[in-house]
Amino acid sequence: TPIPPPPATFGTPPPPPAPATPAPALPAPKPAPFVTPAPAPRPAPLGAADAVPSPKPLPPTRAATPIERARAAAVREQWGEVLRLDEDTRRELSPADAAEMAALVDRANQWVGRTMNDAERYAGDQRPDVALRLLDGLARELAGTVHPASVDAVRGQEAMRVLQQIAGASANAATADMLRRDAYARFRGSRWAPLFRSR
């Protein structure tokens, strides 16, 4: 007969942990005493010595005189403006300003003459595109003036465009010759007529 195993033995369970000691309660904070704020001091009334002075008005800007404007235009090489100022204010200038204005107008006329001669030379060298650019600038400067070159500059612009048409029609000799004859009659009496003489 089999022998039964001996009964299992169990150890003694550990005792339960002791309850934690509660921390002592802190005393409640005492409320701070309420202090009534002191009233802000009233500002003292402003006296005459404490008043903020009002800003002084700026003096009016002085307009530039005609000779000053002409002098500035000459520095910028705006010779058309010099000519317009001379035409508009010639009788209003003092003798000294009139003498300076005359010198500036002389420089303007020299520029007009050089530009016109350069345009004519380029046109004679079969470079009407360069001549046209010069004449465009000259016409813009002289617009609104009574300068005699203003009319000649406009006619020169037209003449350069005809020269460009003739150059474009060079493959057709009959058409180019017809354009040249018409242009010579149209510009007869001007400095541009010799450009269209039959070759």
Side-chain angles (χ1 to χ4, degrees), residues 162-184 195-199:
V162 174
L163 281 179
Q164 291 174 334
Q165 291 176 353
I166 293 174
S170 57
N172 189 329
T175 301
D177 189 59
M178 179 189 66
L179 289 172
R180 185 176 291 107
R181 287 198 308 270
D182 290 345
Y184 183 77
L195 298 171
F196 304 102
R197 286 176 181 161
S198 298
R199 293 175 173 81

Side-chain angles (χ1 to χ4, degrees), residues 59-75:
T61 305
R62 183 181 66 85
T65 63
I67 191 61
E68 289 173 342
R69 292 163 56 194
R71 197 182 296 141
V75 171

Side-chain angles (χ1 to χ4, degrees), residues 7 12 67 72 77 94 104 106 123 138 143 147 154 159 170 173-174 195 197:
T12 304
I67 191 61
E77 296 187 354
S94 66
L104 294 175
D106 184 61
L138 183 59
H147 200 286
V154 173
S170 57
L195 298 171
R197 286 176 181 161

Side-chain angles (χ1 to χ4, degrees), residues 122-148:
Y122 280 115
D125 292 341
Q126 302 302 313
R127 298 183 64 184
D129 52 338
V130 180
L132 183 58
R133 285 199 297 270
L134 291 173
L135 292 169
D136 286 345
L138 183 59
R140 282 194 302 270
E141 283 294 316
L142 298 182
T145 71
V146 295
H147 200 286

